[in-house]
Amino acid sequence: MPRHIDLLEKDWEIDEVPTPRKSPRQHTMTPVPRRSSRKRSMPPGFSSLFTSLPPSAKKSRKVAKVPSLPVAPPTLLTLPHCAISRLLLCLDVDSLERLSATCTYFDQMIAGKFLLSISFPFPVSFIKEVMDDESFEKKPLLKLSCKKTRDEFKTLPDITEDYSEPSSLHKLIIGNSPEMMDYLVFSQMSLLSLYKLRELDLVPESVKQEGRLLGQRIMDSYSNFDCSLLRHISRLGSLKCLTRLDMLVDQNLYLEQFMAELPNLLELGLTILTRLGLSKHVYLHEYIPRLEAVVTASKAPVLRVTVVAETRRQVNKIFKNSHVEKLVLTGPCTFNMFPVMQRLKEVVVNLETSFLDNNCTYWKSRIDDRGLHRAGLCCVNIGAVYENSPNLERFMGVEVGMVSHKQTFNKWNTRMKKRFYDDYLQQGGSKEMKAWAKTRWFSRRPVLPMNVGYDRVFN
């Protein structure tokens, strides 16, 4: 090989022609050897380097491309850590718990840093786990639930029933004095870190006992325990962190005293179970003012109200609020709720539909006209929406956002009536519009009281 390189260099030297200078010296020009016209043979080793490729080979070299590596589709894991952390703030605790079970990354990011949820008072299995560990870490708790379960357990399973009878969380709550419950809450809460508590669920797993609704004695025990729990969380300053709160309340509505400490609520759920025979005084001077005051004080964009039972009285309940955007109400047709909410966009009403011909129990409804509910009258009266909820877009599945409030009430009512009559026909109704409007719609604008909440009593 070195010999071939030397020959090639020699050929380059022969082919070179010296370039004359600008000021040539005075000397005799020596003749330059002229290029030979004979063909020189190329050494065998270089013939393959300088021969031209066939046209097909050149074309294939131009067309051929280096195969690129397949690009993986974007997933949640490909996002920056700061973006993932921001997205996790938008999920409720149940969704976080399901997400942490999908892969190791989210398990370490979520379950590795937080205690997602726990029942209160502590179940025996949790207490046994604490006893078996030499030490434990107080991770920030995200969700606290108190479902008052009736599942029986033995505190000391290795002792006979003569000395240790089975019990349940329900029995513990209703069978002890308020002072004992305060001590129980204080002692068990000391094992939890609540400075990042996001959700609190205090609705029991069942509002019935032996087929009947809970009596007032049990409701008082539940209320005392829940109130003690809220006072303890309030003392720690953790109520301000709550984003979701679900409560069981009666005519006393003790929740009112804590509403000012809940500025970051995203969803408030109220399950109402009052005595069925409330006197007129208690109903008008305690229950209605407290309920309206709690709704007015809420800053949650989502309000869920579930009416299990209440005294039936034809009194208008004014739900006035400047933060609620979605209202979900489950209750009887005679609940008589009138929304006055500037930011309200959607109203969802869940009514009883299990009976074939006796679903609707609206005031003075005929027995032969109870198969279908009166949308716009049952439970929530849409007449109060005019000028009070101008941003409303959907009411019980009916699109109402296109009906402008910048017109007289009669014109607004005519357009709304047409939309709800069409919805009545879609559900299987057969009445003519005139007959339908006579028993299933309103002709006058509802008159709302000027005073709401405690102003009903003191003004």
Side-chain angles (χ1 to χ4, degrees):
M1 181 65 70
R3 180 173 177 274
H4 296 317
I5 296 177
D6 293 339
L7 290 175
L8 188 58
E9 290 180 352
K10 185 177 180 181
D11 289 339
W12 283 342
E13 292 176 355
I14 292 175
D15 292 341
E16 288 180 355
V17 179
T19 304
R21 300 180 180 179
K22 292 182 179 180
S23 302
R25 296 179 181 177
Q26 298 293 332
H27 57 82
T28 307
M29 298 292 293
T30 58
V32 179
R34 61 186 180 85
R35 185 188 300 271
S36 175
S37 60
R38 67 184 179 88
K39 294 183 179 180
R40 297 191 178 115
S41 61
M42 186 172 290
F46 286 85
S47 59
S48 60
L49 297 175
F50 294 94
T51 54
S52 299
L53 295 173
S56 59
K58 292 181 179 180
K59 186 175 182 181
S60 62
R61 286 184 60 183
K62 292 181 180 179
V63 175
K65 295 182 179 179
V66 179
S68 59
L69 296 176
V71 180
T75 63
L76 190 59
L77 295 175
T78 60
L79 294 175
H81 181 79
C82 59
I84 296 178
S85 302
R86 188 68 178 176
L87 289 175
L88 295 184
L89 296 177
C90 302
L91 300 179
D92 58 11
V93 178
D94 292 338
S95 299
L96 289 176
E97 192 167 1
R98 290 191 292 267
L99 182 61
S100 65
T102 57
C103 63
T104 306
Y105 176 81
F106 286 116
D107 179 63
Q108 295 177 352
M109 187 176 183
I110 301 174
K113 296 181 179 180
F114 303 99
L115 177 60
L116 295 179
S117 63
I118 194 170
S119 298
F120 193 88
F122 297 151
V124 176
S125 58
F126 177 80
I127 298 176
K128 186 177 183 302
E129 184 179 349
V130 173
M131 291 177 60
D132 294 340
D133 292 338
E134 296 181 357
S135 62
F136 66 93
E137 179 185 0
K138 290 175 62 173
K139 297 180 182 179
L141 177 65
L142 297 184
K143 182 177 181 179
L144 184 65
S145 300
C146 182
K147 308 303 289 184
K148 291 95 172 171
T149 60
R150 292 180 171 84
D151 298 335
E152 293 190 345
F153 59 86
K154 290 189 66 175
T155 307
L156 302 174
D158 54 342
I159 299 180
T160 61
E161 293 186 1
D162 296 336
Y163 300 96
S164 177
E165 295 182 357
S167 184
S168 66
L169 298 180
H170 166 74
K171 292 180 179 180
L172 289 177
I173 293 175
I174 67 173
N176 289 285
S177 63
E179 293 77 13
M180 180 61 71
M181 287 295 97
D182 286 339
Y183 178 76
L184 175 65
V185 170
F186 176 77
S187 59
Q188 292 203 357
M189 279 294 196
S190 62
L191 301 177
L192 300 176
S193 176
L194 302 177
Y195 75 98
K196 287 191 176 182
L197 185 65
R198 293 173 56 178
E199 298 184 17
L200 184 60
D201 183 5
L202 302 181
V203 180
E205 64 174 4
S206 176
V207 294
K208 292 184 177 181
Q209 185 177 18
E210 298 178 355
R212 296 182 178 182
L213 294 175
L214 297 178
Q216 191 60 44
R217 186 182 70 86
I218 297 179
M219 283 295 299
D220 290 341
S221 299
Y222 282 1
S223 298
N224 292 333
F225 182 81
D226 293 345
C227 190
S228 175
L229 189 60
L230 284 172
R231 281 198 301 266
H232 185 82
I233 299 175
S234 172
R235 185 177 61 86
L236 299 176
S238 298
L239 285 181
K240 63 182 179 181
C241 303
L242 286 182
T243 58
R244 285 174 173 83
L245 175 62
D246 289 285
M247 302 288 299
L248 174 66
V249 295
D250 59 3
Q251 63 275 2
N252 297 315
L253 280 132
Y254 63 90
L255 179 61
E256 178 197 356
Q257 58 184 304
F258 301 102
M259 292 305 298
E261 303 179 50
L262 301 166
N264 296 312
L265 272 186
L266 298 178
E267 184 174 325
L268 173 62
L270 300 176
T271 301
I272 301 175
L273 176 57
T274 71
R275 294 201 309 267
L276 297 179
L278 289 179
S279 65
K280 184 177 180 180
H281 176 80
V282 174
Y283 190 91
L284 295 178
H285 293 80
E286 295 183 18
Y287 170 55
I288 295 298
R290 290 173 180 173
L291 176 60
E292 293 178 346
V294 168
V295 173
T296 302
S298 175
K299 297 182 180 180
V302 179
L303 175 62
R304 300 180 184 274
V305 179
T306 302
V307 183
V308 178
E310 69 157 8
T311 302
R312 178 170 170 168
R313 289 187 181 275
Q314 198 168 356
V315 177
N316 297 338
K317 303 176 181 69
I318 312 301
F319 280 13
K320 187 176 182 180
N321 189 282
S322 58
H323 301 277
V324 174
E325 299 180 6
K326 182 177 181 179
L327 175 64
V328 181
L329 206 151
T330 303
C333 299
T334 55
F335 188 64
N336 277 24
M337 198 277 278
F338 292 75
V340 181
M341 302 173 175
Q342 293 293 327
R343 296 186 179 180
L344 186 62
K345 296 181 179 179
E346 183 179 5
V347 175
V348 178
V349 181
N350 301 314
L351 300 167
E352 180 63 56
T353 57
S354 60
F355 303 101
L356 182 61
D357 297 322
N358 197 26
N359 289 319
C360 185
T361 58
Y362 190 71
W363 306 102
K364 299 179 180 179
S365 59
R366 294 169 57 94
I367 297 179
D368 58 351
D369 192 20
R370 295 180 178 179
L372 296 176
H373 286 288
R374 290 156 170 79
L377 292 180
C378 287
C379 201
V380 182
N381 193 302
I382 196 175
V385 167
Y386 177 70
E387 292 185 343
N388 293 318
S389 303
N391 296 316
L392 185 63
E393 299 175 356
R394 190 176 298 104
F395 189 99
M396 294 184 65
V398 180
E399 300 293 335
V400 298
M402 300 301 294
V403 182
S404 174
H405 291 240
K406 297 180 180 180
Q407 54 186 335
T408 63
F409 175 79
N410 292 333
K411 292 182 178 179
W412 176 85
N413 187 27
T414 300
R415 289 169 173 77
M416 295 293 286
K417 181 167 57 176
K418 177 65 169 62
R419 291 175 179 267
F420 278 83
Y421 178 70
D422 293 341
D423 179 70
Y424 165 77
L425 295 178
Q426 291 179 3
Q427 294 183 21
S430 58
K431 287 188 175 184
E432 296 293 335
M433 187 172 186
K434 187 175 181 179
W436 169 85
K438 186 176 180 179
T439 59
R440 291 177 162 267
W441 198 248
F442 51 88
S443 58
R444 298 180 181 179
R445 183 177 181 179
V447 179
L448 305 181
M450 297 294 296
N451 301 318
V452 178
Y454 285 107
D455 293 339
R456 285 177 179 259
V457 181
F458 299 109
N459 292 326

